[in-house]
Amino acid sequence: GVHDGLQGAGWDVLWAVCNNSVNNDPHTEPLLQYNQKWVHNLDYIQTDDDQKQIDKFTHQTLETIRNNGDGVPITDDWRNAIEPFWAVHSVREACELIVSWRNLLDAEKPDVVLGLHANNFFFRSLAHVSQERHIPVVCFAEGLLRARDQSTQNKQTLAGDGVSLICVWSNSQKKAYLQAGIPELHLAVCGMP
């Protein structure tokens, strides 16, 4: 509905998709079925320099995690709880996303980036690189809020990182985001999209 509304208002809308590590629920299937215009992040990793950048970024990030570096409060429990393969794979996937999203934004030059919700691993990296390039980022609140999500996971506060506007379902949801420290000018009540 949001896509159709934007397109009907004269916007040129382009879906940007990526795979998750095991490619469950591939986003390309409905896009192909409904003949939508889309690009894939992996199409923007094309040079040896891109691969070298991903390798270097992955190595630096893993070293920071392993050394429990400044600003990275990762405990030994985390390293013991996650299999090394998944930790390395997930870090590489994140670095690959950052490099490919940067290349995509540089090539496509969007006026705005719209995402489902800011706490999604894949969109969070796109929001980050959009913010680097001063591109406004709009997203939707992550479904129904549970009161414990803020106290146990800091979810509402984290949703405001790298996002210009969060569209929330209701005034009570807006209040929860305000209480979590999100500035009011970054919130809009839109109802369920």
Side-chain angles (χ1 to χ4, degrees):
V2 172
H3 172 275
D4 293 347
L6 288 170
Q7 208 168 37
W11 287 79
D12 182 21
V13 182
L14 177 68
W15 294 96
V17 299
C18 60
N19 294 349
N20 60 36
S21 63
V22 291
N23 206 26
N24 290 334
D25 190 28
H27 297 88
T28 54
E29 296 309 313
L31 295 173
L32 291 168
Q33 180 181 355
Y34 294 105
N35 202 26
Q36 296 291 304
K37 188 167 108 179
W38 58 278
V39 294
H40 197 287
N41 77 304
L42 294 179
D43 293 337
Y44 294 85
I45 298 174
Q46 299 179 352
T47 68
D48 288 341
D49 192 46
D50 291 336
Q51 289 297 335
K52 288 176 185 172
Q53 188 178 4
I54 293 166
D55 291 343
K56 181 180 177 183
F57 191 21
T58 301
H59 176 74
Q60 290 171 339
T61 304
L62 288 169
E63 283 302 304
T64 301
I65 292 169
R66 289 181 183 123
N67 296 329
N68 212 9
D70 293 336
V72 184
I74 298 172
T75 65
D76 287 332
D77 291 341
W78 180 84
R79 287 179 282 203
N80 292 331
I82 298 175
E83 292 292 332
F85 165 80
W86 284 114
V88 171
H89 178 77
S90 296
V91 167
R92 181 167 184 84
E93 186 173 34
C95 295
E96 187 176 80
L97 284 167
I98 289 170
V99 169
S100 64
W101 290 143
R102 284 176 177 156
N103 291 347
L104 182 148
L105 293 175
D106 291 346
E108 302 300 333
K109 300 182 182 354
D111 295 313
V112 66
V113 171
L114 178 68
L116 185 56
H117 58 86
N119 288 331
N120 173 283
F121 173 81
F122 304 97
F123 181 69
R124 192 167 190 79
S125 58
L126 178 55
H128 171 75
V129 298
S130 297
Q131 185 181 36
E132 285 179 344
R133 280 148 174 73
H134 308 286
I135 300 169
V137 177
V138 177
C139 69
F140 297 93
E142 188 178 358
L144 295 173
L145 295 180
R146 296 178 301 193
R148 71 173 186 243
D149 286 349
Q150 177 62 17
S151 61
T152 61
Q153 299 174 45
N154 209 25
K155 260 185 148 176
Q156 285 76 46
T157 302
L158 287 173
D161 290 349
V163 174
S164 310
L165 183 67
I166 303 172
C167 299
V168 298
W169 293 14
S170 65
N171 284 321
S172 64
Q173 214 178 43
K174 179 180 176 180
K175 182 179 176 184
Y177 281 93
L178 288 169
Q179 289 172 341
I182 305 300
E184 188 165 9
L185 65 104
H186 292 277
L187 299 167
V189 178
C190 70
M192 290 176 61

